[in-house]
């Protein structure tokens, strides 16, 4: 959906509606030590508990695989530069133990630049800036810079990659990791860009002499919008793609686009499995400490997942949420890693259980600990379909998550348990993006994906309550604590009190991408003519809007 507004004050909000995952979980990728230190991979773990598989797997197997040849090529093509950034923008002196400045990394694409051209500044967000280099070559930065003779920049977020503010990631050392400081970083960088380090650039590249236009996706999308709002003298325009501008404590709506837009057979199977396993857990009850008991029935079911040795039943049920990130990683470019993972998961889940009866929920025969799942092989007969779905889900989790863990000589408690204090106590910089992002989750943003409210079909286990989902905040930091799954946290949220699109988009143009996922306009093929029509039109619209912003900048300078 397009809503046309005047360019002022230059915020373009893009949200995604799912029709048709930053995690690839079918083929797990572990990175060598140097790349792990960079924070390789997405930090947006769908489950914010410590047992998130992507975190655990990369953390425990980081020696096994080198970065791909393509990533190494980009690292070689785009060397990293550093900028002396202020540790804090809100005090004359930083807290004790901090230096006045730290080295913040950035990367530059100058092949399209001509003197007087604008600067396109991509906020790296909650990951290493190296993950964003491809957008200089074939993505959104390339398109905008090429169209306007602009300079492209990737800017790494403080505390991520190698933009270290402190010597470690202890709670005390993380105190300067705030959204406010990160927004001020953007403005200060635009006003103090080290142009003398770059051939062909001079002081005319600074934000008081040329328009700086920022792009960001997801959390970085929110930062883009906030940067323009708070620092209009430095940031002339902003594109906020899937910008999660609303902090939400229990973001259970993450799965609503999945429930509404994924294949009904797959959604129904997930709901059936969640309900069946929850029923078994609730039948077992809790002990005097309020912990769910491991009855014979529950242990039998846990064995299907290869997770019977987990001490906490809730940790087992967390694995049900692993597949949600596969939905987020879908993309119009089918060559990207993870794009087909959701379909692979669904085909495994519904194999042998795809008949009409699968759409009708009924309790499987999982009672009394006797003959539990005795008829798993007898598919196609009423309740047996759900039995098959349970078995399929367990087999999938065991093969794709558990076996890679145990094949490295580790036990399931280490990989998937939330009681592993070693993880909570590790404050080294080798924690990469994991510990900084969860700190931001605990202190400012929330997005705990906990139990679904009564009255809504659940794709999360109802045992996965807010206390469980957020318990790492206390243990790790000492705190008490249309398809885009992040749609409900963006300006296009269906539950926003601003019902009219005009109200939503009063700060600029907005585009709701049909059949789109999480900031899918960020990547490209290098030539918009090769892209699907709906994506090509979005990229063309972004170029059109940005050209308008640049023109208005030029006109404003003439008046002055």
């Amino acid at each position: 959906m397009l809503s046309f507004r005047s360019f002022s004050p230059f915020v373009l909000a893009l949200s995604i509606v799912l029709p048709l995952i930053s995690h690839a979980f079918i083929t797990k990728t572990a990175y060598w030590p140097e790349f792990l230190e960079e924070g390789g991979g997405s930090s947006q773990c769908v489950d914010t508990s410590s047992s998130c598989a992507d975190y655990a797997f990369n953390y425990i197997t980081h020696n096994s695989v080198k970065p791909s040849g393509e990533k190494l090529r980009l690292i070689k093509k785009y060397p990293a530069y550093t900028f002396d950034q202020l540790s804090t923008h809100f005090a004359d002196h930083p807290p004790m133990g901090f230096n006045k400045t730290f080295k913040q990394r950035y990367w530059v694409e100058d092949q399209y630049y001509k003197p007087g051209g604008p600067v396109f500044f991509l906020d790296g967000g909650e990951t290493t800036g190296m993950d964003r280099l491809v957008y200089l070559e074939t993505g959104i930065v390339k398109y905008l810079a090429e169209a306007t003779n602009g300079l492209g920049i990737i800017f790494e977020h403080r505390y991520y990659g190698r933009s270290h503010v402190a010597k470690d990631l202890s709670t005390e050392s993380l105190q300067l990791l705030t959204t406010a400081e990160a927004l001020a970083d953007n403005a200060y960088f635009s006003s103090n860009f080290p142009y003398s380090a770059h051939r062909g650039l001079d002081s005319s590249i600074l934000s008081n002499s040329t328009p700086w236009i920022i792009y960001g996706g997801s959390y970085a999308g929110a930062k883009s919008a906030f940067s323009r709002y708070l620092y209009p003298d430095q940031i002339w325009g902003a594109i906020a793609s899937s910008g999660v501008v609303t902090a939400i404590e229990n973001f259970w709506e993450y799965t609503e686009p999945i429930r509404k837009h994924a294949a009904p057979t797959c959604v129904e199977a997930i709901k059936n499995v969640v309900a069946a396993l929850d029923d078994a857990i609730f039948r077992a009850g809790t002990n005097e400490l309020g912990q769910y008991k491991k009855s014979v029935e529950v242990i039998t079911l846990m064995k299907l997942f290869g997770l019977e040795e987990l001490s906490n039943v809730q940790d087992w049920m967390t694995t049900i949420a692993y597949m949600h990130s596969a939905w987020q990683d879908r993309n119009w470019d089918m060559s990207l890693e993870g794009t087909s993972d959701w379909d692979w998961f669904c085909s495994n889940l519904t194999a042998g259980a795809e008949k009409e009866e699968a759409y009708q929920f009924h309790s499987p025969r999982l009672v009394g600990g006797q003959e539990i799942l005795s008829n798993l092989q007898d598919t196609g007969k009423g309740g047996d379909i759900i039995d098959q779905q349970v078995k399929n889900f367990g087999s999938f989790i065991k093969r794709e998550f558990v076996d890679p863990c145990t094949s490295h000589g580790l036990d399931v408690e280490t990989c998937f348990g939330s009681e592993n204090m070693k993880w909570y106590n590790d404050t080294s910089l080798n924690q990469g993006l994991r510990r900084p992002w969860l700190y931001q989750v605990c202190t400012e943003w929330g997005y705990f994906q906990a139990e679904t409210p009564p009255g809504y079909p659940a794709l999360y286990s109802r045992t996965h309550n807010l206390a469980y989902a957020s318990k790492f905040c206390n243990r790790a930091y000492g705190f008490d604590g249309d398809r885009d799954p992040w749609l409900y946290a963006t300006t296009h949220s269906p539950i926003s009190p601003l019902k009219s699109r005009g109200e939503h988009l009063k700060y600029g143009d907005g585009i709701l991408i049909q059949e789109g996922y999480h900031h899918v306009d960020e990547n490209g093929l290098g030539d918009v003519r090769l892209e699907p029509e709906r994506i090509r039109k979005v990229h063309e619209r972004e170029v059109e809007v940005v050209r308008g912003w640049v023109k208005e900048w030029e006109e404003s300078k003439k008046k002055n």
Side-chain angles (χ1 to χ4, degrees):
M1 176 176 180
L2 295 176
S3 177
F4 300 99
R5 286 288 204 177
S6 66
F7 291 127
S8 181
F10 316 138
V11 175
L12 177 61
L14 293 93
S15 296
I16 315 300
V17 175
L18 300 163
L20 287 182
I21 195 166
S22 321
H23 300 270
F25 68 86
I26 304 302
T27 305
K28 276 295 177 188
T29 303
Y31 303 100
W32 60 353
E34 293 80 35
F35 191 60
L36 182 72
E37 183 180 337
E38 296 288 336
S42 169
S43 71
Q44 296 267 1
C45 178
V46 64
D47 178 359
T48 46
S49 77
S50 65
S51 56
C52 176
D54 280 329
Y55 291 168
F57 194 85
N58 285 331
Y59 180 56
I60 62 181
T61 64
H62 61 267
N63 286 313
S64 58
V65 180
K66 293 184 178 182
S68 68
E70 176 63 10
K71 189 173 287 289
L72 289 173
R73 182 187 65 78
L74 289 169
I75 293 170
K76 184 176 181 179
K77 178 178 179 179
Y78 297 108
Y81 297 89
T82 60
F83 170 74
D84 289 333
Q85 182 65 266
L86 296 176
S87 294
T88 180
H89 300 271
F90 304 106
D92 292 336
H93 302 285
M96 186 175 296
F98 290 86
N99 294 324
K100 187 173 180 61
T101 63
F102 69 96
K103 298 293 185 182
Q104 192 160 21
R105 293 197 306 178
Y106 67 96
W107 294 259
V108 172
E109 172 58 272
D110 60 5
Q111 68 169 307
Y112 309 108
Y113 179 71
K114 293 182 180 180
V119 175
F120 296 103
F121 170 76
L122 189 145
D123 188 311
E126 70 288 13
T127 187
T128 169
M130 293 198 314
D131 280 353
R132 312 302 192 193
L133 297 184
V134 66
Y135 307 129
L136 291 175
E137 185 176 69
T138 60
I140 186 64
V141 180
K142 187 259 189 188
Y143 290 149
L144 297 177
E146 185 178 35
T148 60
N149 300 319
L151 183 74
I153 295 177
I154 304 292
F155 191 51
E156 188 167 72
H157 196 296
R158 59 169 54 212
Y159 284 91
Y160 292 90
R162 290 188 178 175
S163 294
H164 303 309
V165 182
K167 65 183 183 302
D168 59 30
L169 297 174
S170 65
T171 303
E172 183 177 9
S173 294
L174 289 168
Q175 65 181 287
L176 296 180
L177 176 55
T178 67
T179 303
E181 292 282 10
L183 293 172
D185 287 346
N186 291 348
Y188 187 78
F189 180 68
S190 72
S191 298
N192 297 276
F193 179 78
Y195 55 83
S196 60
H198 301 273
R199 186 175 60 184
L201 298 182
D202 56 29
S203 61
S204 66
I205 200 68
L206 300 179
S207 57
N208 63 346
S209 300
T210 200
W212 278 59
I213 297 168
I214 187 171
Y215 174 97
S218 194
Y219 161 62
K223 282 185 62 191
S224 295
F226 297 158
S227 292
R228 167 60 193 167
Y229 182 78
L230 293 173
Y231 300 101
D233 292 337
Q234 289 83 17
I235 306 299
W236 183 251
I239 300 177
S241 183
S242 297
V244 287
V245 295
T246 305
I248 302 172
E249 186 177 29
N250 178 12
F251 189 43
W252 65 270
E253 295 98 336
Y254 182 90
T255 58
E256 280 295 275
I258 302 175
R259 183 177 68 83
K260 293 178 178 180
H261 297 286
T265 355
C266 187
V267 172
E268 201 66 24
I270 296 169
K271 289 171 10 185
N272 289 344
V273 171
V274 168
L277 301 186
D278 276 356
D279 284 350
I281 294 169
F282 293 144
R283 276 194 293 273
T286 58
N287 60 24
E288 61 278 5
L289 299 177
Q291 300 167 329
Y292 291 104
K293 295 178 181 178
K294 291 177 64 176
S295 65
V296 173
E297 179 186 16
V298 168
I299 292 173
T300 300
L301 291 169
M302 292 176 75
K303 285 181 178 179
L304 295 175
F305 291 69
L307 294 171
E308 67 274 12
E309 295 179 5
L310 280 178
S311 59
N312 190 328
V313 172
Q314 288 170 296
D315 292 342
W316 164 47
M317 291 304 292
T318 294
T319 65
I320 297 294
Y322 288 173
M323 38 62 62
H324 296 153
S325 62
W327 180 263
Q328 175 174 320
D329 285 352
R330 303 188 84 187
N331 195 280
W332 56 269
D333 184 354
M334 296 303 294
S335 70
L336 296 181
E337 184 180 22
T339 298
S340 61
D341 286 356
W342 175 266
D343 295 330
W344 171 242
F345 161 73
C346 285
S347 66
N348 278 263
L349 177 60
T350 59
E354 295 179 318
K355 295 191 177 182
E356 189 69 23
E357 292 90 332
Y359 295 161
Q360 304 169 8
F361 179 76
H362 35 252
S363 297
R365 291 177 270 85
L366 304 174
V367 295
Q370 302 296 321
E371 302 296 320
I372 300 170
L373 296 177
S374 59
N375 294 298
L376 279 176
Q377 302 299 328
D378 300 329
T379 60
K381 301 177 183 177
D384 292 338
I385 290 176
I386 298 178
D387 289 353
Q388 184 66 45
Q389 292 167 344
V390 171
K391 181 182 178 183
N392 289 350
F393 209 132
S395 176
F396 182 84
I397 294 295
K398 183 178 185 302
R399 182 179 69 250
E400 304 296 343
F401 292 95
V402 179
D403 289 348
C405 163
T406 56
S407 68
H408 282 81
L410 296 156
D411 59 75
V412 295
E413 196 70 53
T414 298
C415 293
F416 305 102
S418 61
E419 309 301 322
N420 183 4
M421 292 308 296
K422 180 180 178 181
W423 183 89
Y424 297 119
N425 295 331
D426 187 351
T427 62
S428 69
L429 295 176
N430 285 335
Q431 282 285 315
L433 57 84
R434 179 173 48 249
R435 189 170 173 88
W437 175 244
L438 294 184
Y439 177 87
Q440 292 189 264
V441 164
C442 293
T443 56
E444 294 185 311
W445 287 96
Y447 298 134
F448 303 108
Q449 288 140 39
E451 78 273 20
T452 306
Y456 288 84
L459 300 187
Y460 285 112
S461 168
R462 296 192 186 278
T463 68
H464 198 255
N465 54 39
L466 188 58
Y468 169 78
S470 62
K471 73 177 181 181
F472 66 85
C473 292
N474 179 272
R475 297 191 179 192
Y477 310 106
F479 303 143
D480 291 324
D482 136 310
R483 303 187 178 181
D484 182 1
W486 297 93
L487 176 67
Y488 284 69
T490 72
T491 59
H492 288 92
S493 171
I495 59 174
S496 169
L498 301 178
K499 295 301 181 184
S500 83
R501 285 291 177 249
E503 287 182 285
H504 274 302
L505 306 172
K506 63 183 178 181
Y507 293 117
D509 277 9
I511 301 173
L512 188 61
I513 303 175
Q514 300 299 320
E515 298 193 12
Y517 297 88
H518 205 42
H519 49 93
V520 294
D521 64 305
E522 192 164 14
N523 60 287
L525 298 179
D527 185 341
V528 294
R529 294 171 299 180
L530 303 176
E531 296 172 353
E533 182 180 11
R534 70 183 189 282
I535 301 300
R536 173 177 55 77
K537 287 183 176 180
V538 170
H539 283 147
E540 290 173 345
R541 178 59 178 148
E542 288 173 313
V543 168
E544 177 189 357
V545 168
V546 167
R547 279 176 170 158
W549 292 345
V550 173
K551 183 178 180 180
E552 290 204 15
W553 165 276
E554 294 168 350
E555 291 175 350
S556 71
K557 287 300 180 183
K558 290 178 182 178
K559 294 177 182 178
N560 296 330

